[in-house]
Amino acid sequence: MSISQKFIQNASKKFCQNKITQILHNSIVNCEVKTLAVNRNSLIKTNHVFSNKLPSVTVTNQKNSGRCWLFAYGNLIRSEIRKKLNVESFEISKTFLFFYDKLEKSNYFLETLISLPEIDCESRLIHFLLGDLVSDGGQFSMINSIVNKYGLCPLEFMPETITSSKSRLINGTLRTKLRHTTMVFQKMKKEKKTDEEFRKVKEEVLADIYHILSLHLGVPPISFNYRFYNKDKKFVKLEDMTPLQFRDEVLKYPTSEYVTLINDPRNEFNTVLTVEHLGNVYEGEKVKYLNVKNEVILEAIKKTIIEEEQPVWFGCDVGKFFNRSTGTLDTNVFDWDTLYNTNIYNGFGKADRLNLRESLMTHAMLFSGIDLDKDEKIQKLQVENSWGKDSGNNGFLSMSVDWFNEFCYEAAVLKKYLPENLLKILETSKPKVLPPWDPMGSLAKN
């Protein structure tokens, strides 16, 4: 049944005759609606004071790119690198990681096509894979794969470029190149070409992609001579260092010491999950999650910040109930239901939001502090973002534990801060495979 004229007339009359509604209408058309929906009582309770807080750092800025996961990783390891090198400041090159991530994602996509019995562009799988082939996003395991294979280098040996900070154009170029190659591969599949013939074409395509990336981002260094003054004003030189040697020199923990915890109430807790066709390095570390209750993740965060004095990398749905001007992430910061006089958000559980595509991982940041109540439980968390110092509270956010429970989905922590029974599950369980389009893979598609 279509919408009737009677319905339109009644709805219009009801709207126009309500004086409160008219006041709201006049306010909304002349103001930013979020300012009207702000719950002032929630803001009054919000502050940026934390009982346990890591030393202040310079906030980074990913600019117009989706490299949040790489910036969060760089911010995660820079404090330990500064300690190792005994320097006041240090930044790894995110462009270096970005370059190899794009190259490896291209290879991953092409290898996936080669592995399929046919390339049916009407199938849901191919349609999904063609959607965003070389997006800027990624998961923690994908960082590990790049760092394990290529290493790390200081910022000065592969600095930021216009493209690294504004990646839309190069992403479009690479997508078009790979979609064109899909068309070529589709024809080759029909002609029953051999894997050797496919890989010959693949090598030519990857050479072109390497060339394009090098034009935009520069050629990654094979080795470098790193010279600097340390805190004691002493001259230090690390001669003829490869990125892999530099990684081994500066990292306190190898990537194998980390585990990615997720909170996905759609699936059974204390189980291992993965997402099909999610990754960058084709034969690299597989994306693997340990699905646990929020309490387990919060306890690991608490131990890491207090005992290890290190931040924690995490992924969340940052757009939900986020007051950007005050740097507040709180489920009560906006009262949309009262503003619109209808039920919009009440009744949605975390599992419901995931199933209905109302929520998914969109952004990676760092936990850099926690605030404990009288029972030593976390009541809010300090977040280090990568949107520059003009966002939030000088680049930092305050997250309530209620917001964490509803909109945080994953955190990468050291295995030593997990109970033995969970480590055993991680090491012995066969992962449940989620489909490629599952929300648990969404952070790699931003």
Side-chain angles (χ1 to χ4, degrees):
M1 182 181 295
S2 64
I3 297 175
S4 67
Q5 283 300 311
K6 183 178 180 181
F7 170 85
I8 297 295
Q9 292 167 0
N10 288 339
S12 175
K13 183 178 179 180
K14 181 180 179 182
F15 182 88
C16 294
Q17 289 182 348
N18 189 307
K19 292 184 178 180
I20 299 298
T21 298
Q22 291 307 301
I23 292 172
L24 273 175
H25 167 63
N26 290 331
S27 300
I28 289 173
V29 297
N30 290 292
C31 300
E32 168 59 51
V33 69
K34 276 191 172 184
T35 63
L36 300 175
V38 166
N39 182 344
R40 184 166 173 78
N41 290 330
S42 173
L43 281 188
I44 290 172
K45 295 176 183 177
T46 301
N47 60 55
H48 291 268
V49 179
F50 301 87
S51 59
N52 299 82
K53 180 180 169 183
L54 298 176
S56 295
V57 295
T58 302
V59 173
T60 54
N61 194 340
Q62 68 190 72
K63 298 186 179 178
N64 295 317
S65 72
R67 297 174 295 160
C68 56
W69 62 302
L70 297 177
F71 271 75
Y73 177 74
N75 296 339
L76 169 68
I77 64 174
R78 66 178 172 178
S79 61
E80 64 185 68
I81 295 177
R82 287 172 182 175
K83 291 176 184 177
K84 180 76 174 181
L85 299 178
N86 190 30
V87 293
E88 291 285 353
S89 63
F90 177 86
E91 295 291 342
I92 66 164
S93 170
K94 272 72 74 175
T95 307
F96 177 85
L97 300 175
F98 191 56
F99 181 105
Y100 282 121
D101 177 62
K102 295 289 186 193
L103 184 65
E104 289 288 350
K105 279 176 179 170
S106 299
N107 180 65
Y108 194 99
F109 171 74
L110 295 175
E111 282 291 337
T112 299
L113 293 184
I114 293 171
S115 71
L116 297 174
E118 64 174 346
I119 300 174
D120 178 8
C121 291
E122 296 298 319
S123 72
R124 184 175 184 182
L125 174 60
I126 297 299
H127 189 266
F128 174 80
L129 293 177
L130 288 171
D132 199 355
L133 304 165
V134 284
S135 66
D136 290 354
Q139 294 287 350
F140 195 82
S141 297
M142 294 163 67
I143 300 172
N144 290 348
S145 291
I146 294 295
V147 173
N148 286 340
K149 185 171 182 178
Y150 296 104
L152 298 166
C153 84
L155 176 63
E156 47 263 55
F157 297 107
M158 197 166 181
E160 292 287 295
T161 70
I162 292 295
T163 297
S164 67
S165 300
K166 192 176 181 180
S167 57
R168 183 175 179 178
L169 188 144
I170 194 172
N171 288 344
T173 301
L174 296 179
R175 279 196 301 269
T176 301
K177 177 66 177 175
L178 291 169
R179 286 168 180 165
H180 180 271
T181 307
T182 302
M183 180 180 67
V184 174
F185 275 16
Q186 187 180 39
K187 182 180 178 182
M188 291 176 67
K189 287 280 186 181
K190 291 177 180 178
E191 295 172 350
K192 301 188 182 305
K193 298 294 185 181
T194 64
D195 284 356
E196 183 179 354
E197 290 174 303
F198 273 102
R199 290 200 167 88
K200 182 180 179 182
V201 175
K202 187 194 81 167
E203 290 295 319
E204 294 170 355
V205 172
L206 290 178
D208 290 340
I209 289 174
Y210 186 99
H211 178 75
I212 293 168
L213 288 169
S214 297
L215 288 173
H216 283 268
L217 304 174
V219 177
I222 302 300
S223 64
F224 48 84
N225 297 321
Y226 189 36
R227 299 182 171 200
F228 56 92
Y229 292 103
N230 65 19
K231 286 183 180 179
D232 303 322
K233 311 299 181 185
K234 291 182 178 179
F235 173 72
V236 180
K237 59 180 180 178
L238 301 175
E239 299 288 339
D240 200 27
M241 294 284 288
T242 68
L244 289 171
Q245 289 171 330
F246 186 73
R247 175 203 66 194
D248 294 339
E249 178 74 22
V250 298
L251 284 190
K252 183 177 179 181
Y253 294 106
T255 57
S256 60
E257 291 299 310
Y258 285 90
V259 57
T260 303
L261 305 178
I262 65 166
N263 178 254
D264 179 2
R266 301 171 306 159
N267 289 290
E268 185 181 351
F269 290 124
N270 298 343
T271 58
V272 180
L273 306 175
T274 189
V275 179
E276 188 179 16
H277 299 305
L278 177 61
N280 49 7
V281 178
Y282 194 71
E283 296 177 344
E285 180 176 320
K286 303 301 180 185
V287 174
K288 189 165 68 171
Y289 307 125
L290 180 59
N291 191 27
V292 296
K293 293 182 178 181
N294 279 320
E295 292 80 5
V296 175
I297 304 178
L298 286 168
E299 184 63 22
I301 292 169
K302 177 181 173 182
K303 288 180 178 178
T304 303
I305 290 175
I306 294 177
E307 298 177 21
E308 196 70 27
E309 296 183 342
Q310 289 288 331
V312 176
W313 186 103
F314 74 97
C316 67
D317 187 358
V318 74
K320 297 292 191 293
F321 294 94
F322 173 35
N323 189 319
R324 186 163 181 162
S325 62
T326 61
T328 306
L329 294 160
D330 185 80
T331 52
N332 294 314
V333 72
F334 297 115
D335 188 355
W336 296 109
D337 287 1
T338 298
L339 179 70
Y340 292 124
N341 192 31
T342 187
N343 181 11
I344 297 177
Y345 289 102
N346 287 334
F348 260 140
K350 195 171 189 177
D352 298 322
R353 286 191 292 269
L354 288 168
N355 282 327
L356 297 169
R357 296 299 191 267
E358 172 60 21
S359 182
L360 72 171
M361 283 184 278
T362 60
H363 191 45
M365 298 182 281
L366 286 185
F367 290 123
S368 58
I370 53 176
D371 193 41
L372 303 179
D373 62 18
K374 62 180 180 180
D375 298 318
E376 295 296 300
K377 291 184 178 181
I378 296 177
Q379 57 184 353
K380 68 178 188 289
L381 305 98
Q382 184 187 52
V383 175
E384 179 186 342
N385 202 358
S386 55
W387 292 347
K389 62 181 179 63
D390 294 330
S391 175
N393 184 46
N394 295 316
F396 289 86
L397 314 177
S398 178
M399 179 193 295
S400 71
V401 73
D402 289 337
W403 196 97
F404 174 95
N405 288 332
E406 294 298 326
F407 299 110
C408 272
Y409 291 104
E410 70 171 313
V413 301
L414 290 167
K415 291 178 181 177
K416 68 179 182 178
Y417 292 123
L418 282 185
E420 286 295 328
N421 67 309
L422 292 180
L423 285 175
K424 186 175 180 180
I425 291 171
L426 178 68
E427 293 164 1
T428 61
S429 298
K430 183 179 179 180
K432 175 183 176 181
V433 181
L434 303 176
W437 40 83
D438 191 89
M440 288 301 110
S442 63
L443 190 57
K445 295 297 178 182
N446 292 324

